[in-house]
Amino acid sequence: MSDKDERSHLVGLGAFIRSQRRLAQLSQRELAKLTKLSDPYVSQLERGLHEPSVRVLRALGSALNIPAETLMGYVGLTDERAAEVDTASAIRQDPKLSDAQKAAMLEIYKGFTDEAGK
Amino acid sequence: MSDKDERSHLVGLGAFIRSQRRLAQLSQRELAKLTKLSDPYVSQLERGLHEPSVRVLRALGSALNIPAETLMGYVGLTDERAAEVDTASAIRQDPKLSDAQKAAMLEIYKGFTDEAGK
DNA sequence: CGTATATGCGTACTTTACTACGCACTGCGA
DNA sequence: TCGCAGTGCGTAGTAAAGTACGCATATACG
């Protein structure tokens, strides 16, 4: 609740950005170029040293294909955690996959989440 | 398309804030006190002279009881093309998967779609 | 009339977001 | 071994967000 600890969610956002960037196989410089930001600033963001502006959030979201609601959640604009994009339904609706492929991926996904779940 | 015209949506946001403030029967100074901002800054915002930070948007939203989605719309965080839910993004953002698991599923997905791509 | 209070805004100043430049480290090929 | 290209980051500076202080007008009340 303290004003100073409000910065704690910045490190959460930073960690999230870093993981998304790595999953997209991008270096900080590449992401910086995509978003038209400087690379040290990307570094600073990932370590939670700054609260990015809306303009920066937009650029990051579109470069990394992160839906707006997810960003809003991390940045605390949405009151509570909202809409998570469900992986399973995304797979089921994917037109680029055959039914057999969908089944295979769903099987793997189930294995991952069941084991970790509890 | 120009970078300069991006400021045009700021006046839209400003006009919206002003109308909401008046509907709530508040002066700029009163709203400033509620949001812990300075009153000239509220004035500047209403005239679209600045792009407010996320922190300011949160304060305004809660003081004027404006839902997050509405703010997001005015601020342009919601992208027009956001509806597209692709599988890869869903996997990357799935909180139930570890980064290693995400990488594994993305690898498989890539294999499926690449081969089909002809 | 005088003055008291409330409103919105101009503007110089401070604080913070963001950039330019460069350093240290890690592979990798000659 | 030697570059040398690519990575992440420290840091001094610039640009933009946000504040303190005060001016101008308006309404109201004695």
Side-chain angles (χ1 to χ4, degrees), chain B residues 38 40-41 50-53:
Chain B
S38 66
Y41 187 55
H50 289 296
E51 166 146 5
S53 69

Side-chain angles (χ1 to χ4, degrees), chain A residues 79-99:
Chain A
D79 304 315
E80 287 302 324
R81 165 131 315 180
E84 281 177 5
V85 191
D86 180 17
T87 297
S89 52
I91 292 173
R92 278 187 227 103
Q93 293 160 15
D94 194 321
K96 297 194 286 298
L97 294 175
S98 72
D99 283 1

Side-chain angles (χ1 to χ4, degrees), chain B residues 68-84:
Chain B
E69 314 153 346
T70 307
L71 256 343
M72 289 176 29
Y74 273 100
V75 102
L77 224 177
T78 52
D79 246 349
E80 306 92 28
R81 42 158 202 103
E84 211 180 293

